[in-house]
Protein backbone atom coordinates (compact mmCIF):
# COMPACT_ATOMS: atom_id res chain seq x y z
CA UNK A 1 0.00 0.00 0.00
CA UNK A 2 1.03 3.58 -0.52
CA UNK A 3 1.97 5.96 2.28
CA UNK A 4 2.78 9.64 2.23
CA UNK A 5 4.88 11.27 4.93
CA UNK A 6 5.46 14.91 5.78
CA UNK A 7 7.80 16.44 8.30
CA UNK A 8 8.04 18.21 10.46
CA UNK A 9 4.47 18.09 11.74
CA UNK A 10 4.72 21.52 13.33
CA UNK A 11 7.21 24.32 12.87
CA UNK A 12 7.60 27.76 14.42
CA UNK A 13 10.04 30.00 12.61
CA UNK A 14 11.05 33.66 12.88
CA UNK A 15 10.49 36.06 10.01
CA UNK A 16 13.44 36.05 7.62
CA UNK A 17 14.57 32.52 8.45
CA UNK A 18 14.85 29.76 5.82
CA UNK A 19 12.39 26.93 5.40
CA UNK A 20 12.57 23.33 4.28
CA UNK A 21 9.55 21.02 4.38
CA UNK A 22 9.86 17.48 3.16
CA UNK A 23 7.37 15.06 1.67
CA UNK A 24 8.02 11.45 0.71
CA UNK A 25 5.80 8.81 -0.82
CA UNK A 26 6.21 5.08 -0.35
CA UNK A 27 4.81 2.19 -2.31
CA UNK A 28 4.54 3.73 -5.74
CA UNK A 29 6.81 4.98 -8.48
CA UNK A 30 6.73 8.06 -10.69
CA UNK A 31 3.89 9.76 -8.84
CA UNK A 32 2.68 13.25 -9.59
CA UNK A 33 3.40 15.34 -6.51
CA UNK A 34 1.73 18.50 -5.22
CA UNK A 35 2.22 21.17 -2.58
CA UNK A 36 -0.84 22.99 -1.25
CA UNK A 37 -1.24 25.70 1.37
CA UNK A 38 -4.31 26.04 3.51
CA UNK A 39 -4.77 29.24 5.47
CA UNK A 40 -6.83 29.06 8.65
CA UNK A 41 -10.44 28.35 7.80
CA UNK A 42 -9.75 28.64 4.11
CA UNK A 43 -9.62 26.40 1.09
CA UNK A 44 -6.71 24.66 -0.56
CA UNK A 45 -4.34 26.72 -2.68
CA UNK A 46 -2.15 24.78 -5.11
CA UNK A 47 1.43 26.03 -4.90
CA UNK A 48 3.52 23.61 -6.96
CA UNK A 49 3.19 20.35 -8.78
CA UNK A 50 5.72 17.95 -10.28
CA UNK A 51 5.37 15.24 -12.90
CA UNK A 52 8.92 13.94 -12.50
CA UNK A 53 12.38 14.41 -11.04
CA UNK A 54 13.54 17.99 -11.48
CA UNK A 55 10.25 19.02 -13.14
CA UNK A 56 8.43 21.68 -11.14
CA UNK A 57 5.52 23.86 -12.14
CA UNK A 58 4.53 26.86 -10.06
CA UNK A 59 0.91 27.88 -9.80
CA UNK A 60 1.31 30.99 -7.70
CA UNK A 61 4.32 33.35 -7.75
CA UNK A 62 5.51 33.83 -4.20
CA UNK A 63 8.25 33.57 -1.67
CA UNK A 64 8.45 29.79 -1.91
CA UNK A 65 10.15 27.27 -4.19
CA UNK A 66 9.94 23.52 -4.65
CA UNK A 67 12.33 20.81 -5.71
CA UNK A 68 12.09 17.12 -6.51
CA UNK A 69 15.53 15.59 -6.09
CA UNK A 70 14.26 12.01 -6.11
CA UNK A 71 11.28 10.25 -7.64
CA UNK A 72 9.32 10.07 -4.40
CA UNK A 73 10.65 13.13 -2.59
CA UNK A 74 9.23 16.63 -2.81
CA UNK A 75 10.68 19.58 -0.91
CA UNK A 76 9.18 22.99 -0.24
CA UNK A 77 11.66 25.75 0.55
CA UNK A 78 12.04 29.41 1.25
CA UNK A 79 15.16 31.53 1.68
CA UNK A 80 13.43 34.12 3.87
CA UNK A 81 10.06 33.50 5.48
CA UNK A 82 7.36 36.14 5.63
CA UNK A 83 4.55 36.41 8.16
CA UNK A 84 2.13 35.63 5.35
CA UNK A 85 3.79 32.24 4.83
CA UNK A 86 2.09 30.92 7.95
CA UNK A 87 -0.38 28.16 7.24
CA UNK A 88 -1.00 24.47 6.92
CA UNK A 89 1.11 22.92 4.16
CA UNK A 90 -0.13 19.78 2.52
CA UNK A 91 1.66 17.44 0.17
CA UNK A 92 -0.34 15.17 -2.12
CA UNK A 93 0.39 12.51 -4.69
CA UNK A 94 -1.48 10.76 -7.46
CA UNK A 95 -0.81 7.95 -9.88
CA UNK A 96 -0.01 9.01 -13.40
CA UNK A 97 -3.11 7.33 -14.80
CA UNK A 98 -5.65 8.24 -12.12
CA UNK A 99 -7.11 11.57 -11.03
CA UNK A 100 -7.44 10.93 -7.32
CA UNK A 101 -5.01 12.84 -5.14
CA UNK A 102 -4.00 11.49 -1.74
CA UNK A 103 -2.93 13.93 0.91
CA UNK A 104 -0.28 13.72 3.59
CA UNK A 105 -0.83 14.64 7.25
CA UNK A 106 0.36 18.20 6.73
CA UNK A 107 2.85 20.59 8.33
CA UNK A 108 1.60 23.49 10.40
CA UNK A 109 3.92 26.46 9.97
CA UNK A 110 3.77 29.52 12.18
CA UNK A 111 5.99 32.44 11.24
CA UNK A 112 6.51 34.95 14.04
CA UNK B 1 -10.99 32.74 -10.46
CA UNK B 2 -12.82 30.17 -8.41
CA UNK B 3 -13.67 27.36 -10.81
CA UNK B 4 -15.73 25.42 -8.27
CA UNK B 5 -18.18 27.26 -6.04
CA UNK B 6 -19.25 25.55 -2.84
CA UNK B 7 -22.06 26.33 -0.44
CA UNK B 8 -22.88 26.73 2.34
CA UNK B 9 -19.72 27.88 4.08
CA UNK B 10 -20.92 26.32 7.32
CA UNK B 11 -23.70 23.96 8.29
CA UNK B 12 -25.20 22.79 11.57
CA UNK B 13 -27.28 19.62 11.53
CA UNK B 14 -28.84 17.62 14.31
CA UNK B 15 -27.82 14.02 14.83
CA UNK B 16 -29.83 11.79 12.54
CA UNK B 17 -30.54 14.56 10.06
CA UNK B 18 -29.45 14.96 6.45
CA UNK B 19 -26.48 17.18 5.62
CA UNK B 20 -26.44 18.64 2.12
CA UNK B 21 -23.52 20.48 0.56
CA UNK B 22 -23.69 21.90 -2.93
CA UNK B 23 -21.11 22.68 -5.58
CA UNK B 24 -21.29 24.29 -8.99
CA UNK B 25 -18.77 24.49 -11.82
CA UNK B 26 -18.47 26.23 -15.17
CA UNK B 27 -15.83 24.28 -17.06
CA UNK B 28 -17.57 21.63 -19.17
CA UNK B 29 -14.23 19.84 -19.60
CA UNK B 30 -14.38 18.70 -15.98
CA UNK B 31 -15.02 14.97 -15.82
CA UNK B 32 -14.04 13.91 -12.31
CA UNK B 33 -15.71 15.18 -9.16
CA UNK B 34 -14.38 14.03 -5.77
CA UNK B 35 -15.38 15.00 -2.27
CA UNK B 36 -12.81 15.19 0.52
CA UNK B 37 -13.34 15.13 4.27
CA UNK B 38 -10.90 16.94 6.55
CA UNK B 39 -10.71 16.75 10.32
CA UNK B 40 -8.92 19.52 12.25
CA UNK B 41 -5.15 19.27 11.99
CA UNK B 42 -5.30 16.45 9.44
CA UNK B 43 -4.91 16.21 5.69
CA UNK B 44 -8.03 15.86 3.53
CA UNK B 45 -9.11 12.29 2.82
CA UNK B 46 -11.03 11.15 -0.23
CA UNK B 47 -14.63 10.41 0.71
CA UNK B 48 -16.39 9.61 -2.54
CA UNK B 49 -16.08 10.58 -6.20
CA UNK B 50 -18.26 10.57 -9.30
CA UNK B 51 -17.93 10.89 -13.05
CA UNK B 52 -20.54 12.64 -15.23
CA UNK B 53 -21.77 9.43 -16.85
CA UNK B 54 -23.86 8.67 -13.74
CA UNK B 55 -26.32 10.88 -11.89
CA UNK B 56 -25.84 9.40 -8.45
CA UNK B 57 -23.31 7.40 -6.47
CA UNK B 58 -23.85 6.05 -3.01
CA UNK B 59 -21.36 4.70 -0.50
CA UNK B 60 -22.85 3.91 2.85
CA UNK B 61 -24.43 7.07 4.28
CA UNK B 62 -22.73 9.29 1.69
CA UNK B 63 -24.32 10.04 -1.68
CA UNK B 64 -23.19 12.26 -4.54
CA UNK B 65 -25.92 13.63 -6.79
CA UNK B 66 -24.75 14.96 -10.15
CA UNK B 67 -26.65 17.21 -12.56
CA UNK B 68 -24.65 17.56 -15.75
CA UNK B 69 -27.00 19.98 -17.47
CA UNK B 70 -27.01 22.32 -14.48
CA UNK B 71 -23.29 21.80 -13.87
CA UNK B 72 -23.95 21.09 -10.23
CA UNK B 73 -23.18 18.29 -7.82
CA UNK B 74 -23.94 17.76 -4.20
CA UNK B 75 -23.00 15.62 -1.23
CA UNK B 76 -25.73 14.18 0.96
CA UNK B 77 -24.88 12.69 4.33
CA UNK B 78 -27.75 10.60 5.60
CA UNK B 79 -28.29 9.94 9.31
CA UNK B 80 -25.59 12.49 10.16
CA UNK B 81 -23.50 11.65 13.22
CA UNK B 82 -21.34 13.83 15.50
CA UNK B 83 -18.32 11.97 14.09
CA UNK B 84 -19.15 13.44 10.68
CA UNK B 85 -18.30 16.92 12.02
CA UNK B 86 -15.49 18.04 9.72
CA UNK B 87 -14.75 20.29 6.78
CA UNK B 88 -15.87 18.97 3.40
CA UNK B 89 -14.35 20.02 0.10
CA UNK B 90 -15.71 19.39 -3.35
CA UNK B 91 -13.34 19.39 -6.29
CA UNK B 92 -13.29 18.94 -10.04
CA UNK B 93 -10.71 18.11 -12.65
CA UNK B 94 -10.61 17.92 -16.41
CA UNK B 95 -8.94 15.68 -18.92
CA UNK B 96 -5.50 17.10 -18.18
CA UNK B 97 -5.77 15.38 -14.85
CA UNK B 98 -2.94 17.13 -13.10
CA UNK B 99 -4.89 19.62 -11.06
CA UNK B 100 -7.89 19.43 -8.79
CA UNK B 101 -9.93 22.61 -8.54
CA UNK B 102 -11.24 22.78 -5.00
CA UNK B 103 -14.24 24.55 -3.55
CA UNK B 104 -13.62 26.71 -0.47
CA UNK B 105 -14.99 24.10 1.90
CA UNK B 106 -17.97 23.62 4.17
CA UNK B 107 -17.59 23.31 7.91
CA UNK B 108 -20.15 20.77 9.14
CA UNK B 109 -21.15 20.49 12.78
CA UNK B 110 -23.45 17.67 13.78
CA UNK B 111 -24.98 18.30 17.20
CA UNK B 112 -25.90 15.43 19.55
Amino acid sequence: SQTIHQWPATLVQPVGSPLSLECTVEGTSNPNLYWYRQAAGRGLQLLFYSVGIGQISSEVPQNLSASRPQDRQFILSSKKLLLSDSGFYLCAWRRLTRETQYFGPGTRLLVL
Amino acid sequence: QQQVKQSPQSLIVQKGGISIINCAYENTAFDYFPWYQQFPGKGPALLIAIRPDVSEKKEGRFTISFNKSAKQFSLHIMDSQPGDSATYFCAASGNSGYALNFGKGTSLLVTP
Side-chain angles (χ1 to χ4, degrees):
Chain A
S1 63
Q2 297 78 31
T3 310
I4 179 168
H5 302 279
Q6 287 187 246
W7 63 88
T10 305
L11 191 60
V12 181
Q13 292 284 92
V15 170
S17 65
L19 173 74
S20 181
L21 303 182
E22 189 166 344
C23 169
T24 59
V25 181
E26 296 178 356
T28 189
S29 59
N30 197 28
N32 283 11
L33 296 172
Y34 304 82
W35 278 112
Y36 290 86
R37 177 169 57 202
Q38 186 175 28
R42 302 285 295 277
L44 296 158
Q45 180 187 32
L46 178 63
L47 302 176
F48 302 95
Y49 73 94
S50 171
V51 298
I53 296 174
Q55 301 179 63
I56 309 295
S57 295
S58 173
E59 290 293 303
V60 181
Q62 61 214 313
N63 185 42
L64 302 169
S65 61
S67 62
R68 184 170 176 176
Q70 300 180 43
D71 181 44
R72 288 168 289 178
Q73 184 184 32
F74 206 21
I75 297 172
L76 184 69
S77 304
S78 174
K79 292 182 179 179
K80 289 185 178 182
L81 283 169
L82 306 172
L83 287 173
S84 58
D85 291 323
S86 293
F88 192 45
Y89 287 84
L90 290 157
C91 181
W93 74 275
R94 74 170 185 98
R95 292 185 181 87
L96 196 61
T97 55
R98 305 288 290 271
E99 298 96 334
T100 302
Q101 291 185 23
Y102 301 93
F103 286 84
T107 294
R108 186 160 305 281
L109 172 66
L110 179 60
V111 182
L112 300 175
Chain B
Q1 182 181 355
Q2 191 76 22
Q3 295 209 48
V4 178
K5 296 183 179 179
Q6 183 173 346
S7 62
Q9 186 175 357
S10 61
L11 182 61
I12 300 175
V13 174
Q14 282 195 328
K15 179 181 176 181
I18 302 174
S19 304
I20 302 175
I21 304 170
N22 301 298
C23 286
Y25 64 98
E26 287 297 326
N27 190 339
T28 55
F30 288 157
D31 59 2
Y32 175 68
F33 303 89
W35 284 88
Y36 284 83
Q37 179 189 56
Q38 184 181 29
F39 293 105
K42 306 294 184 183
L46 179 69
L47 191 61
I48 187 173
I50 198 169
R51 296 190 183 279
D53 53 345
V54 297
S55 60
E56 186 175 282
K57 183 174 181 179
K58 183 176 181 179
E59 291 185 2
R61 295 184 294 109
F62 300 91
T63 300
I64 299 179
S65 297
F66 186 83
N67 187 329
K68 187 174 182 178
S69 60
K71 291 185 286 187
Q72 295 175 349
F73 58 110
S74 60
L75 176 69
H76 295 234
I77 305 175
M78 312 300 289
D79 186 27
S80 298
Q81 299 296 312
D84 296 331
S85 298
T87 299
Y88 292 82
F89 292 95
C90 63
S93 70
N95 51 19
S96 66
Y98 78 85
L100 279 173
N101 299 276
F102 283 91
K104 290 191 174 182
T106 296
S107 178
L108 171 65
L109 176 64
V110 181
T111 59

